[in-house]
Amino acid sequence: MMEYIQVPDMNDSFSRVILCQKEYLIRFLYNGEHDYWSFGVYDTGKNILLQHRKIVPVAPLTHFDVSVHIPQGIFGCFTNLKHVGRKDFANGNVEFAFIPWEDLEVWRKENEIIR
């Protein structure tokens, strides 16, 4: 099941989430100088599991990350916009989500999509 994750309307924040039955912290950062958002994944002790990744629309943000320490799935940003600006999450123009691998595989099989 796709998990939507709310991005706080702050330039730097941590959000506590449960993904794949495990607790994580996700850090959202906004870079005002270059006008982009990034995110990172931490364990509950704030140890970095995934360095900050730039959030870009409609792209699998963690497709090539194979660490067993991060949630097993793909993070993504869903929008019709070409660029994600400072207020786009707060305005509801963009959604940030996580899809577990197992759910993605079921969806691919149902829709006959080959990876």
Side-chain angles (χ1 to χ4, degrees), residues 4-110:
Y4 289 96
I5 302 167
Q6 185 173 350
V7 178
D9 190 15
M10 300 187 297
N11 290 346
D12 188 355
S13 68
F14 279 92
S15 295
R16 189 172 304 274
V17 296
I18 305 290
L19 302 172
C20 300
Q21 301 176 359
K22 188 171 178 187
E23 187 174 6
Y24 295 93
L25 297 173
I26 297 182
R27 186 177 187 185
F28 292 102
L29 287 165
Y30 176 71
N31 182 316
E33 184 176 340
H34 298 288
D35 189 30
Y36 72 86
W37 283 94
S38 64
F39 80 102
V41 178
Y42 294 71
D43 65 17
T44 55
K46 291 193 177 178
N47 298 302
I48 298 172
L49 303 177
L50 179 69
Q51 289 285 11
H52 287 275
R53 301 295 160 100
K54 185 175 181 179
I55 298 175
V56 295
V58 194
L61 302 175
T62 54
H63 182 76
F64 296 106
D65 294 295
V66 294
S67 170
V68 296
H69 301 292
I70 64 171
Q72 298 302 292
I74 295 179
F75 288 92
C77 168
F78 300 94
T79 182
N80 290 327
L81 302 175
K82 292 182 181 182
H83 171 77
V84 180
R86 170 64 181 88
K87 292 289 185 182
D88 287 325
F89 287 107
N91 292 339
N93 297 326
V94 179
E95 292 183 304
F96 189 80
F98 173 79
I99 306 169
W101 283 119
E102 58 197 30
D103 293 344
L104 192 58
E105 290 302 321
V106 169
W107 181 82
R108 284 184 174 138
K109 286 178 185 175
E110 289 173 354

